[in-house]
Amino acid sequence: MLVFIKLFLALILGSLLGLERELSNKPGGVKTHGLVALASCGFILIVQEISIMEQARVMTGIIQGVGFIGGGLIVKEGNNAKGLTGAVEIWISSGLGLACAFGLWRIAFNMLFLSLLLLKLMRLSFPKS
């Protein structure tokens, strides 16, 4: 049952972060963020069943792999790069999943809260015209 709770919480927290993207009509919304968080959590839970020694290696792979996925959101337009925030949000979703996998609920909720706070404050401070 604890495994399901960890997976479910990772899915919900990642989806909540993705909801911010969805409401802003940006790519990589609820489904993408939720699934990235769920996958990150699931990979660690699988490894926990196998070996403590492998967890660090799998975490490294997840962090690098999700960085590669996020890179797909980045597009260069002239001298500007678009999609950096979306790429970082995907990475944070992965971190939410990892935190849930290890049962680090306070870290997961604080990461989500602070991410959403920054995104909302920046949107309010610098509205697009």
Side-chain angles (χ1 to χ4, degrees):
M1 187 63 169
L2 182 59
V3 167
F4 178 80
I5 291 169
K6 289 177 177 183
L7 290 167
F8 185 72
L9 187 57
L11 177 68
I12 295 300
L13 293 179
S15 296
L16 286 173
L17 187 59
L19 182 61
E20 190 279 332
R21 301 281 305 161
E22 200 86 31
L23 295 174
S24 303
N25 293 321
K26 302 280 186 175
V30 173
K31 292 186 291 187
T32 303
H33 284 73
L35 291 173
V36 165
L38 177 64
S40 295
C41 181
F43 293 145
I44 289 296
L45 292 175
I46 290 167
V47 173
Q48 284 178 342
E49 294 292 322
I50 299 168
S51 165
I52 297 279
M53 296 299 291
E54 295 298 317
Q55 291 179 37
R57 198 174 350 196
V58 170
M59 272 183 33
T60 301
I62 290 169
I63 292 165
Q64 291 173 343
V66 171
F68 179 76
I69 291 169
L73 291 175
I74 301 170
V75 177
K76 186 174 182 206
E77 291 182 5
N79 290 332
N80 297 323
K82 303 253 184 201
L84 291 171
T85 302
V88 172
E89 283 186 56
I90 293 285
W91 212 30
I92 292 170
S93 290
S94 178
L96 293 172
L98 292 173
C100 289
F102 288 110
L104 303 171
W105 317 118
R106 284 183 294 154
I107 291 173
F109 282 109
N110 283 315
M111 282 176 67
L112 176 64
F113 173 76
L114 292 171
S115 298
L116 291 174
L117 178 67
L118 176 65
L119 292 165
K120 192 52 77 178
L121 285 176
M122 294 309 293
R123 198 155 280 125
L124 292 174
S125 299
F126 302 100
K128 300 235 177 187
S129 46

